[in-house]
Amino acid sequence: MVKKEVEGKGLGVFTSKTFKKCDFICEYSGELISNKESMEREAYYSSKPSIGCYMFYFWYKTKKYCIDATKDNGRMGRLINHSKLAHNLVPKLVENDGRPTICFFAARDIRKHCTTMAIETKALLPSILG
């Protein structure tokens, strides 16, 4: 995957190879925090627009969590955009050594160099929460 500027959206992630439906794309990498901590951080980030805010909320074993990827760790999952009509990724909750994480998988075949990577949060979030 490669980062590129997307007009009107900032940075985006584009394919650098072909992916088949269901292929693992990347992890949404960041700090796993509680919902309470995420609300405090989100309020802080809102007061400092230059920082930005890259958070992914989800439920795991009856508790709401957040992965805070605001601090750039060089991984690209935080730059994946949202799209109502052109989403091509599915976020899935994956347990790794007893800890929850979010991974993105191809929702369909994705051609090399053609496509920006995107999720459709409203349609796909229930599959994580369910």
Side-chain angles (χ1 to χ4, degrees), residues 11 14 34 39 89 100 114 116 130:
L11 285 175
F14 289 78
S34 69
M39 295 295 120
L89 301 181
C114 294
T116 182

Side-chain angles (χ1 to χ4, degrees), residues 20-77:
K20 295 287 185 194
K21 183 177 180 177
C22 298
D23 279 355
F24 170 78
I25 305 298
C26 68
E27 176 185 354
Y28 190 83
S29 178
E31 185 180 358
L32 180 65
I33 58 175
S34 69
N35 187 55
K36 182 178 186 281
E37 175 70 16
S38 71
M39 295 295 120
E40 293 167 6
R41 289 187 187 189
E42 195 165 5
Y44 174 75
Y45 297 153
S46 293
S47 73
K48 307 265 188 212
S50 63
I51 294 175
C53 184
Y54 299 83
M55 297 179 129
F56 199 111
Y57 293 91
F58 61 96
W59 289 88
Y60 175 70
K61 294 186 178 178
T62 72
K63 291 185 181 178
K64 190 172 184 182
Y65 289 92
C66 174
I67 296 176
D68 182 357
T70 302
K71 183 178 179 183
D72 189 354
N73 62 6
R75 311 269 302 269
M76 289 198 217

